Amino acid sequence: MKYEVIVVGGGHAGIEAAHATSKIGHETLLITGNIKNIGDMPCNPSIGGTSKGVIVREIDALGGLMGKIADRSTLQMKMLNGSKGPAVRCLRAQADKESYPRAMQETLLKLPNLTVMENIVEDIIVDDNKIGGVILKDGTKIECEVLILTTGTYLKSEILRGSEKISEGPHGEKRSDNLSDNLAKLGFKIIRLKTGTPPRIDAKSCDFSKMKEELGDEEKWHFSFDGDSTYDVHKQEKCYLIYTNKNTHNIIRENLSKSAMYGGYVSGIGPRYCPSIEDKIVKFADKEKHILFLEPQSMEVGSAYYDALYLQGFSTSMPVDVQEKMVHSLEGLENAKILEYAYAIEYDAIDPLQIMPSLESKLIEGLFTAGQINGTSGYEEAAGQGIVAGINASKKLRGFEPLILKRNESYIGVLIDDLVTKGTIEPYRMLTSRAEFRLILRHDNADLRLRNYGYECGLIDDDQKKKLDEKVAGIETLKNEIKKMKVSKEILEQYVENARTMSVEELMKRPDITKDVLFEVCPNLKDINGDVFEEVSIDVKYEGYIVKTYKDAEKLIKLESKQIPDDIDYGKVYNLASEARQKLEAIRPRTIAQASRISGVNPADISILAVYLRKEYGKNE
Amino acid sequence: MDDTICAISTAMGVGGISIIRISGDHAIPLVDKIFVGKDLTECASHTINYGHIVFEGQTIDEVLVSIMRAPRTYTAEDVVEINLHGGIATTNKVLEILLRIGCRLAEPGEFTKRAFLNGRIDLVKAEAVGEIINADNENARNLSINSLTGKLSDLIRSLKSRIVEIEAKIEVNVDYPEYEDIEDMTNEKVIDELVSVRDDVCKMLDESKTGKMITDGIRVALIGRPNVGKSSILNALLEEEKAIVTNIAGTTRDIVEGEMLLSGVKLKFIDTAGIRKTDDVVESIGVTKSLAQIEEADLVILVLSNSEELSDDEKEILTRLEDKKHIVFVNKNDLTRKMNISSKDVVYGNTVSIDGLDSLKEKIVEMFSIGDLPNRDFTYISNARQESLMKKVYEAIVRAIRGLGNSVPVDIVTLDLKDARILLGELLGEVYDDELIDTLFSNFCLGK
């Protein structure tokens, strides 16, 4: 048996990778521990959120699946940060944990070039530092030209509750016992990470009268650039907001040593940006309460997720008896029935400093990795890497240059660059604050930024491309039109002080003119395509800032073009601080810009390096 | 490995002592090769060792050698200093020997550059080293010392961290929008915090004038029509203060006719080449030329004659001086008064009996508040690079405040804050800029 591509793992990274390679036309085999778990959401029942919502749209722009499937399984949807500025607006959907994976499986199983196999991979075949294939649990060998590992939390995973430790993956699934050890033998640096999930509560046992309702937006939203979402905006499910209290905190403090984390049963490092409740109590000791949300997981009657609410913010590794007490201390959950206890999970990942920006391994040619194995956390972060790994696996097979998304063109680019440049010691979660050019990395322009890449590699079809071109043309036309369209002084007098006749463009720039006012004074604008209008109004309103961001981005591009030769010997660069020398040696950045982002490499080191390059390699521009 | 650098660190000339400094990984073993005395490679750090420099069997000089091992040295590398008996020939001979056995001659400023590149000092401190060397009076020296010991850097760093704090609060808001329990950074709140930062930046900029005054001096233009007594005033001032009367090009683009110290601050009389010429027959003040001088000066002294009425040209000059620091010196107060002028900055005197010059000096001291200089803390921005960056910081913060006032979303305004933060980093040399670094260090004198 030989495939062009083998993808190991059917999580969010594996799905996008396998979908990309098979859709482009490569014979692809997806190996997963349980076909029914493909597209499973083992943790929170939501897709998107701050910055992650932009990643979902970027995946969709490139031709991936996540946004489209989320649009078909939405329980509630919100636009976050509506008033905080256009750059940080993000969509978040509560997604149905039953219909999301099912829709995903249906889509994948229909793909012509994709074979799906239920099995566990325990080793990989490597010949002369090139990938040859995989070895299954029973010893069967399957050959491939390119391998994509998206093993999630399944490498030597251990579920922890108090002192209890079970060697399995989420949902009691089989883990891979040997793959990470075998990777270590090949020279991979293995890191141990930890994450966790909160308890699930029986909705029938909750007293919602004591909780604050959190509703979806009245405006209907969708992730995908290709079509609308299927949910009914008037029938969205509710989430509920509650707080921890002194009693909760006391219970946690009294039992701290019983938790797996604080009892010394965990060796992995957990995510700072998604801390367990005991972490929050310890680290923010003077905070009297912490916010929690109860979120629906599925509305499919008969599903195990139906009526089982996810208690967001309450992830813990306490033993079950303490969890009972903790949950019952919360207002509205005094009599709550816990359907599934919280747990922490430890797993192996590889040091992302050993991978290239294409997501191909530096050690083994033809081996790509994506998702939690690279040290990230989150469905969206995984899927974003998955589609890039898929695209680059295909480019590798066809002998093309890899797709390397830049920091100034996508969040996915920021994510991968951070990973391969800075490495990570905790599960990496995307944040808007990580993207220095976020004003031009908005959710609304993801298609303008990335769709052409998807088209070039065959994941975006002609119809989608046509739609994109129409949007681009529409924006251009409208930008010209609004310069010419005037609104008379008489009309404006009702809305602004010291009115005079103004062009629509001038009006759009004014902070006091809302979209509604614009539509009243200039009804023609109502006929404009909503996406086109939004794009133009952001561009016009924040023109100065946007232009400045593009200028800053240009500086980066200039530094990115200062290449560092592959054969550079850092031992010969005098005066480098020893920490900088070690880091540069280990990471071997491709450009001066990348080198300058390595922590521990100071501007002075960069100066020395730049001077050295100029001296040794002549013009390095 | 020719990476060990050396240079003569003392001024060239015949003196009691001269010092050659050597820095680099091989500084100690290299000097040891030509040193007869103790084994320098065995000597403890920060010791002074007696011996002789001997090369090819010939004793060159009797010396004291200081051994300073990394990292607690000027360059943060191994440093050796050879104290020689002065004398150009001997010093040059030892330098030549060092070059022959494997040292490289240091580029201008390279020792300081290495201290900076090795992370021992930041850019503000590196600049301070240059300024200490060039300091020609006590106040300027105090100021550079404060920069060098990090007082100025600390001040800049604290501004930076205040901006970072505001940014961080906004970022938390943006990344956790649904967490009602975190402080909501409304535009009003951010404005409040920024206004206080702006005021401090503003204060630093104001004070930078004092800093510049201390290092660069006050540029004074003496203007007035011919024969009104300009040259007498200049001569009297310079003579009385036993000032250095020079005719060399100053550090700026103008010609400095003479310099004097007033309460520790330098007064530089600029572009006064024409002052002493008495053969100027045109009875005019020469408005165009005066305007050019006014432009260049920090202080303008307009000399008028008590015995004549104010001419139209002089009237025009006076209007032009409204926004400039100026003093009107009415000369020839012994003659019948025809001049009628009302201004608080008028001094009457005459250059024949040297009257009124003390009042003139007092006026200057008062005008530039230099009387109490020795009591201040001397933590000022003092050079053009620092000042222009600080101005940009100010502008970025003002932009942010204005934007927030115009209801620009808080996220957008973070761009201005980021600007301010990066500029402050640039001030400290925390931002990579190779062009800047090269030019800066080439301004240092050789051997420091």
Side-chain angles (χ1 to χ4, degrees):
Chain A
M1 268 192 292
K2 179 160 184 174
Y3 292 86
E4 284 183 279
V5 184
I6 294 180
V7 178
V8 182
H12 303 280
I15 289 168
E16 298 293 351
H19 169 254
T21 55
S22 52
K23 192 166 178 195
I24 293 168
H26 303 288
E27 278 303 321
T28 304
L29 172 68
L30 172 66
I31 307 176
T32 174
N34 182 347
I35 292 178
K36 294 228 154 50
N37 258 353
I38 290 177
D40 179 44
M41 296 196 276
C43 200
N44 57 321
S46 59
I47 301 280
T50 51
S51 76
K52 292 158 172 263
V54 186
I55 295 182
V56 178
R57 299 211 96 192
E58 289 181 355
I59 294 165
D60 190 73
L62 288 168
L65 291 176
M66 183 172 251
K68 289 181 181 62
I69 304 297
D71 282 342
R72 281 156 61 183
S73 42
T74 303
L75 297 176
Q76 186 204 80
M77 215 170 199
K78 266 185 176 180
M79 179 65 79
L80 304 175
N81 281 333
S83 63
K84 292 263 158 61
V88 292
R89 269 172 221 158
C90 293
L91 279 175
R92 197 196 57 202
Q94 296 301 136
D96 193 306
K97 280 194 177 184
E98 205 62 55
S99 62
Y100 183 92
R102 192 175 54 237
M104 207 45 114
Q105 288 157 27
E106 281 165 7
T107 311
L108 281 182
L109 293 170
K110 271 191 279 188
L111 287 170
N113 301 308
L114 183 68
T115 311
V116 181
M117 171 194 272
E118 224 172 62
N119 217 311
I120 297 286
V121 171
E122 292 288 6
D123 203 354
I124 60 175
I125 305 164
V126 177
D127 185 20
D128 196 16
N129 292 326
K130 274 175 96 166
I131 198 71
V134 297
I135 304 174
L136 304 178
K137 200 162 194 155
D138 61 3
T140 311
K141 291 181 179 172
I142 307 175
E143 285 176 56
C144 64
E145 288 172 51
V146 173
L147 175 65
I148 306 175
L149 291 179
T150 61
T151 50
T153 57
Y154 286 84
L155 293 182
K156 275 176 90 176
S157 37
E158 249 148 357
I159 303 278
L160 303 141
R161 284 185 192 103
S163 58
E164 179 190 3
K165 199 179 231 184
I166 312 163
S167 299
E168 62 184 24
H171 300 312
E173 289 296 332
K174 297 177 284 289
R175 68 174 199 174
S176 171
D177 295 321
N178 302 313
L179 186 53
S180 53
D181 289 345
N182 287 329
L183 289 173
K185 279 181 208 151
L186 291 164
F188 285 89
K189 196 178 150 204
I190 302 295
I191 53 177
R192 190 90 175 141
L193 299 175
K194 178 232 129 184
T195 187
T197 197
R200 318 299 202 252
I201 312 291
D202 189 342
K204 296 190 290 294
S205 64
C206 300
D207 180 357
F208 294 113
S209 67
K210 294 179 177 172
M211 305 180 188
K212 189 183 161 215
E213 287 184 357
E214 291 279 305
L215 306 173
D217 285 355
E218 284 168 24
E219 188 169 350
K220 194 174 177 187
W221 305 105
H222 53 93
F223 280 114
S224 178
F225 288 100
D226 300 308
D228 216 344
S229 39
T230 54
Y231 72 99
D232 183 341
V233 76
H234 304 296
K235 289 184 185 164
Q236 296 182 71
E237 294 304 319
K238 293 170 191 155
C239 295
Y240 298 90
L241 187 158
I242 56 172
Y243 287 98
T244 60
N245 52 48
K246 269 188 192 147
N247 193 11
T248 323
H249 295 202
N250 286 337
I251 296 168
I252 293 170
R253 282 202 191 97
E254 279 161 23
N255 292 287
L256 207 53
S257 62
K258 291 186 191 162
S259 86
M261 272 310 286
Y262 287 89
Y265 305 103
V266 174
S267 56
I269 300 166
R272 242 184 314 168
Y273 305 102
C274 189
S276 65
I277 189 70
E278 46 266 38
D279 262 355
K280 290 188 215 171
I281 307 283
V282 171
K283 286 181 187 151
F284 306 97
D286 47 355
K287 227 174 152 186
E288 285 172 7
K289 57 180 186 176
H290 292 277
I291 211 164
L292 305 172
F293 296 93
L294 272 166
E295 302 174 352
Q297 297 193 97
S298 173
M299 292 319 286
E300 293 198 4
V301 186
S303 152
Y305 294 120
Y306 182 74
D307 263 356
L309 302 178
Y310 178 90
L311 185 52
Q312 205 226 96
F314 213 62
S315 108
T316 177
S317 60
M318 287 285 191
V320 294
D321 57 322
V322 182
Q323 287 193 31
E324 289 281 351
K325 283 187 207 157
M326 284 161 60
V327 168
H328 293 150
S329 73
L330 300 169
E331 208 170 348
L333 297 184
E334 293 85 353
N335 302 308
K337 190 178 163 206
I338 302 178
L339 295 173
E340 219 182 314
Y341 290 99
Y343 61 84
I345 180 166
E346 260 195 311
Y347 55 97
D348 281 350
I350 62 169
D351 181 352
L353 294 179
Q354 291 181 318
I355 52 182
M356 296 193 273
S358 59
L359 296 181
E360 186 174 2
S361 165
K362 288 176 181 172
L363 303 173
I364 293 161
E365 197 185 341
L367 172 63
F368 290 79
T369 50
Q372 276 166 309
I373 189 174
N374 286 345
T376 59
S377 144
Y379 310 147
E380 303 80 1
E381 287 87 340
Q385 291 168 70
I387 191 164
V388 170
I391 288 172
N392 284 336
S394 159
K395 295 209 183 252
K396 177 103 193 165
L397 287 167
R398 293 181 290 163
F400 295 152
E401 284 293 305
L403 172 67
I404 295 169
L405 298 172
K406 293 192 201 76
R407 296 185 74 87
N408 58 323
E409 59 188 5
S410 75
Y411 269 90
I412 299 175
V414 172
L415 164 71
I416 295 174
D417 182 67
D418 277 352
L419 282 178
V420 305
T421 306
K422 295 177 181 158
T424 190
I425 52 160
E426 62 179 329
Y428 178 104
R429 179 203 199 274
M430 185 42 85
L431 299 163
T432 50
S433 43
R434 295 193 198 266
E436 64 273 43
F437 304 115
R438 66 185 180 209
L439 183 54
I440 53 175
L441 305 186
R442 301 186 309 269
H443 87 105
D444 55 270
N445 68 3
D447 54 343
L448 302 176
R449 291 185 274 124
L450 303 175
R451 206 138 245 213
N452 279 323
Y453 290 129
Y455 183 68
E456 281 157 26
C457 63
L459 288 173
I460 292 295
D461 64 26
D462 290 338
D463 286 345
Q464 291 168 305
K465 166 76 173 153
K466 198 175 148 228
K467 199 178 160 192
L468 171 72
D469 291 343
E470 281 166 8
K471 182 173 168 183
V472 172
I475 292 168
E476 196 63 28
T477 312
L478 184 58
K479 277 188 180 170
N480 288 325
E481 289 291 312
I482 55 171
K483 284 192 174 75
K484 293 178 215 149
M485 285 154 78
K486 302 268 193 249
V487 181
S488 74
K489 184 183 170 191
E490 290 70 35
I491 296 176
L492 282 179
E493 265 165 354
Q494 306 169 41
Y495 302 96
V496 293
E497 283 172 34
N498 307 322
R500 58 181 172 82
T501 300
M502 275 194 233
S503 71
V504 172
E505 188 187 35
E506 282 175 278
L507 280 173
M508 276 181 159
K509 280 190 192 298
R510 294 182 59 131
D512 54 339
I513 301 287
T514 61
K515 184 174 161 186
D516 293 338
V517 172
L518 265 180
F519 280 3
E520 274 178 50
V521 299
C522 190
N524 292 351
L525 292 174
K526 280 189 214 163
D527 303 333
I528 305 285
N529 169 301
D531 291 343
V532 168
F533 180 81
E534 189 187 1
E535 217 46 51
V536 171
S537 48
I538 293 173
D539 273 356
V540 169
K541 190 158 252 157
Y542 304 111
E543 192 187 7
Y545 291 96
I546 291 174
V547 168
K548 197 186 162 308
T549 306
Y550 277 113
K551 272 194 193 146
D552 286 349
E554 266 166 39
K555 278 187 214 154
L556 173 81
I557 294 167
K558 216 176 128 195
L559 280 185
E560 291 285 4
S561 71
K562 292 193 176 185
Q563 305 258 336
I564 302 175
D566 291 337
D567 62 351
I568 186 168
D569 177 357
Y570 288 104
K572 285 188 180 156
V573 189
Y574 304 126
N575 280 333
L576 278 180
S578 59
E579 187 192 357
R581 195 189 307 275
Q582 284 166 15
K583 291 266 177 76
L584 289 166
E585 195 59 63
I587 297 163
R588 304 200 69 82
R590 294 163 53 252
T591 65
I592 286 281
Q594 196 194 348
S596 70
R597 291 192 291 271
I598 298 172
S599 67
V601 177
N602 296 316
D605 299 313
I606 297 298
S607 310
I608 294 165
L609 181 59
V611 170
Y612 175 82
L613 289 178
R614 232 184 294 170
K615 230 165 60 190
E616 292 301 309
Y617 294 88
K619 282 175 283 170
N620 61 316
E621 320 282 304
Chain B
M1 293 273 237
D2 55 357
D3 197 41
T4 295
I5 54 171
C6 67
I8 301 168
S9 292
T10 40
M12 283 307 277
V14 184
I17 191 170
S18 56
I19 299 173
I20 294 178
R21 178 186 269 172
I22 303 106
S23 175
D25 289 351
H26 300 271
I28 298 170
L30 279 173
V31 175
D32 189 55
K33 278 191 193 171
I34 54 167
F35 180 78
V36 175
K38 284 183 216 159
D39 181 352
L40 294 177
T41 59
E42 298 291 317
C43 288
S45 185
H46 294 80
T47 55
I48 295 176
N49 308 281
Y50 172 81
H52 292 86
I53 296 292
V54 178
F55 187 66
E56 291 174 343
Q58 192 192 348
T59 301
I60 313 291
D61 200 2
E62 180 190 37
V63 294
L64 287 175
V65 173
S66 312
I67 298 291
M68 290 160 277
R69 293 179 194 277
R72 285 182 49 227
T73 70
Y74 185 74
T75 55
E77 302 169 338
D78 283 351
V79 170
V80 179
E81 284 177 5
I82 309 176
N83 285 252
L84 303 141
H85 292 126
I88 300 170
T90 317
T91 314
N92 275 340
K93 178 78 186 166
V94 175
L95 185 70
E96 198 190 303
I97 294 168
L98 285 168
L99 298 177
R100 273 170 65 184
I101 62 170
C103 289
R104 173 169 66 73
L105 188 64
E107 290 160 20
E110 197 173 358
F111 289 98
T112 307
K113 185 174 181 174
R114 286 189 173 197
F116 170 70
L117 294 178
N118 289 330
R120 194 181 72 78
I121 56 175
D122 63 33
L123 200 51
V124 172
K125 290 183 187 172
E127 286 175 321
V129 173
E131 282 157 13
I132 286 182
I133 298 163
N134 294 323
D136 52 7
N137 65 71
E138 185 59 17
N139 287 330
R141 203 191 60 80
N142 272 339
L143 183 114
S144 321
I145 285 287
N146 270 348
S147 300
L148 185 62
T149 53
K151 268 185 149 181
L152 181 60
S153 308
D154 289 348
L155 207 62
I156 296 168
R157 223 165 260 133
S158 88
L159 280 176
K160 195 177 153 203
S161 66
R162 278 160 72 191
I163 290 175
V164 169
E165 224 165 88
I166 300 171
E167 282 185 285
K169 282 190 196 163
I170 296 174
E171 298 297 335
V172 171
N173 263 253
V174 158
D175 270 315
Y176 298 93
E178 292 183 300
Y179 282 67
E180 298 174 347
D181 52 345
I182 52 175
E183 187 188 2
D184 192 22
M185 290 306 280
T186 57
N187 282 20
E188 292 68 35
K189 263 189 208 149
V190 182
I191 288 179
D192 282 351
E193 301 202 11
L194 280 180
V195 163
S196 105
V197 178
R198 181 200 62 193
D199 291 348
D200 286 353
V201 171
C202 200
K203 197 171 144 221
M204 280 186 86
L205 277 172
D206 273 349
E207 289 178 345
S208 76
K209 287 179 195 130
T210 316
K212 274 203 335 207
M213 188 174 79
I214 292 169
T215 40
D216 295 350
I218 300 168
R219 292 130 58 90
V220 186
L222 263 172
I223 57 171
R225 58 178 140 169
N227 299 322
V228 79
K230 295 192 299 286
S231 62
S232 312
I233 294 173
L234 182 65
N235 290 337
L237 282 173
L238 296 184
E239 212 158 287
E240 195 179 297
E241 295 293 328
K242 295 184 182 60
I244 336 112
V245 183
T246 53
N247 205 355
I248 47 146
T251 48
T252 48
R253 59 191 180 283
D254 46 63
I255 304 289
V256 177
E257 177 73 10
E259 296 182 342
M260 60 172 280
L261 276 180
L262 180 64
S263 295
V265 172
K266 229 188 312 173
L267 295 189
K268 293 199 235 176
F269 293 90
I270 57 163
D271 197 22
T272 50
I275 290 181
R276 293 170 199 222
K277 281 186 194 160
T278 48
D279 56 348
D280 196 340
V281 285
V282 186
E283 279 293 312
S284 155
I285 185 167
V287 175
T288 324
K289 187 176 162 246
S290 300
L291 286 181
Q293 281 176 269
I294 291 171
E295 183 76 19
E296 309 259 303
D298 301 314
L299 169 69
V300 177
I301 301 176
L302 172 65
V303 187
L304 300 173
S305 170
N306 191 42
S307 61
E308 284 162 76
E309 281 179 26
L310 210 55
S311 73
D312 287 349
D313 281 351
E314 286 168 338
K315 278 182 196 155
E316 190 186 336
I317 296 284
L318 272 169
T319 355
R320 299 287 183 128
L321 283 176
E322 268 170 16
D323 297 328
K324 190 98 191 176
K325 280 197 171 146
H326 70 277
I327 297 172
V328 177
F329 187 88
V330 181
N331 199 7
K332 304 177 188 175
N333 64 354
D334 48 334
L335 300 181
T336 322
R337 179 165 171 184
K338 286 190 183 161
M339 173 59 64
N340 213 341
I341 181 164
S342 58
S343 161
K344 67 179 170 65
D345 294 318
V346 178
V347 174
Y348 291 91
N350 77 77
T351 45
V352 180
S353 56
I354 321 270
D355 179 22
L357 288 182
D358 284 337
S359 318
L360 179 63
K361 282 189 278 183
E362 272 166 33
K363 201 93 210 167
I364 299 174
V365 168
E366 179 200 317
M367 202 169 251
F368 287 87
S369 341
I370 46 185
D372 64 338
L373 266 188
N375 303 324
R376 302 212 205 150
D377 79 345
F378 292 100
T379 311
Y380 304 130
I381 300 174
S382 60
N383 65 41
R385 182 191 76 91
Q386 295 172 354
E387 194 193 1
S388 96
L389 282 170
M390 200 49 110
K391 271 190 188 149
K392 285 186 189 163
V393 171
Y394 177 78
E395 283 160 16
I397 296 173
V398 167
R399 263 203 314 280
I401 295 173
R402 200 189 311 129
L404 288 164
N406 283 332
S407 35
V408 171
V410 77
D411 162 54
I412 299 269
V413 166
T414 56
L415 286 176
D416 292 321
L417 299 185
K418 184 180 145 198
D419 247 11
R421 167 169 49 88
I422 289 176
L423 287 163
L424 287 168
E426 220 172 286
L427 245 166
L428 293 166
E430 288 171 354
V431 179
Y432 162 64
D433 185 344
D434 56 344
E435 218 175 292
L436 167 84
I437 287 163
D438 281 354
T439 33
L440 267 176
F441 287 102
S442 55
N443 287 336
F444 284 108
C445 62
L446 188 82
K448 186 69 197 180

